[in-house]
Amino acid sequence: MNKSLVPKIRFKGFDDEWKKYKLNDIGIFFRGLYKKTKADFEINNSNFYYVTYTNIYNNRFIKIDSLKYVNINKNENQNRLIKGDILFTMTSETYNEVGLCSIFNSDTDNVYLNSFCSGFRIIDIRIINSIFLLFLLLSIQYREKIIKMANGFTRYNLSKTLLLNLQVKIPNIIQQNLIGNFFTIIDKKIELVKEQLSLLTKQKQYYLNNMFANEKGYPQIRFKGFNDEWVLKQVQEVLTTIKSLKIKKNFESNTKLPLISQKKDFIDSYIKKGNLVEQLPIILFGDHTTILKYLDKYFFVADDGIKLLELSNSFRNFNLKFIYYSVLLNNVSQSGYKRHFLMLKNVFISLTNNINEQTKIAHFFTIIDRKIELVKEQLSLLAKQKQYYLNNMFI
């Protein structure tokens, strides 16, 4: 048996070799909308829709609720999408993003494709399963081949001619169906977890908006037993930057510690040597990114583009994590490469002087944040699982 025609992982009961095809043998490419003006896309209601570039880029299955309106005249000869069409991003600003594909797997009528993408339609769906083909084209070996086909300097474009000559290895239709269903289930799981993450994020924002005092000095939602008025204080009154003396330079640890920067990801990496921050707990503020992080365990600080904040002398008896969430609610917006801490210092935050109420609020949001982190971990695990099978179930 030719091992190059057999995948590393397959369903039980199948041991036959896969067959070689070119995309040109199994389907045809068609273009997206053409000869359209800006006015055709500015309407708010229509019987015609189109799939945007971002819908293809962000999703493996086209989101029908993200379709946009377009004007199509009776005399136009545009290519209408049908269920099973595979849609490609034909142009991108980077190599790694060109040639990403998604599937239009809906019976929705009167849907068209944007002009920066191309569609691929299978000739005989009795022989080729479009969902199987989608995930085959997303596997690492085929992504590498497609990326190499891209040409350009500031923008990279993909040739339909080269894509049509792409050789693919495909099993019989029964195996295709099984593999397509397998990845569909994984993708549905990923979407459900994403929805859960979105819901938790919205829930957190809702409580942030309502559990801190409004302009009248009282929050809309609060724990029972607390009814005193809140006060407004500027950030610079409540927080102060820690002194460099509290940071051990080039400290070498016996175990790896997290490296923290002003990037969006909470942890950059884990290392054994760096500038150790001993003053805990602490609030980290990204001076250029405006990212806020609350830290209560030893860490190495990544760069000097941050501010490390502790409670000022007048507020030593306050709960720092409560302060963190109040600042998070009132944080400044990122506006280019500038020193945002100068802006943050003058921001007013809402505070209760009752330490018991502070503690309850801080604990409440800690629980929400932990739920969010667990869901993110689940999402990351599913993404890795999907990538593992993409790398090993295709050839």
Side-chain angles (χ1 to χ4, degrees), residues 184-278:
T184 299
I185 291 170
I186 293 178
D187 258 32
K188 285 182 178 178
K189 286 182 179 178
I190 290 173
E191 286 303 309
L192 287 172
V193 175
K194 283 182 178 178
E195 289 174 9
Q196 186 180 2
L197 180 60
S198 175
L199 186 63
L200 280 169
T201 303
K202 290 176 181 176
Q203 183 186 56
K204 177 182 175 180
Q205 191 59 53
Y206 170 81
Y207 284 118
L208 280 173
N209 292 340
N210 290 280
M211 291 184 72
F212 288 86
N214 54 27
E215 64 277 2
K216 295 181 179 179
Y218 295 92
Q220 292 184 12
I221 299 174
R222 66 195 309 183
F223 292 100
K224 289 182 178 180
F226 302 104
N227 53 22
D228 51 312
E229 187 176 357
W230 289 35
V231 295
L232 288 176
K233 297 289 181 181
Q234 282 186 309
V235 170
Q236 62 186 341
E237 297 179 74
V238 182
L239 297 172
T240 183
T241 54
I242 72 166
K243 297 178 181 179
S244 59
L245 293 175
K246 295 179 181 179
I247 302 175
K248 285 189 176 181
K249 303 293 184 181
N250 297 315
F251 178 82
E252 194 159 353
S253 172
N254 293 326
T255 58
K256 289 184 177 181
L257 295 175
L259 178 67
I260 309 292
S261 74
Q262 59 177 322
K263 295 178 183 177
K264 186 176 181 180
D265 289 340
F266 195 84
I267 296 173
D268 283 23
S269 60
Y270 287 88
I271 56 176
K272 282 192 173 184
K273 187 177 181 179
N275 296 330
L276 180 72
V277 178
E278 289 187 297

Side-chain angles (χ1 to χ4, degrees), residues 12 20 26 34 52-53 73 83 110 124 157 181 189 196 198 209-210 214 234 236 280 324-325 328 346 356 364 369:
K12 287 183 179 180
K20 297 179 182 179
I26 61 176
Y34 64 101
T52 64
Y53 182 100
N73 296 317
K83 187 175 183 178
N110 294 328
D124 191 345
N157 300 296
N181 289 338
K189 286 182 179 178
Q196 186 180 2
S198 175
N209 292 340
N210 290 280
N214 54 27
Q234 282 186 309
Q236 62 186 341
L280 297 172
Y324 160 76
Y325 286 113
L328 185 65
N346 296 317
N356 292 325
F364 176 82
D369 276 344

Side-chain angles (χ1 to χ4, degrees), residues 295-312:
L295 296 147
D296 56 5
K297 296 178 182 178
Y298 288 136
F299 67 95
F300 291 122
V301 62
D303 51 48
D304 62 352
I306 60 175
K307 295 292 182 183
L308 300 176
L309 309 173
E310 62 179 343
L311 292 167
S312 63

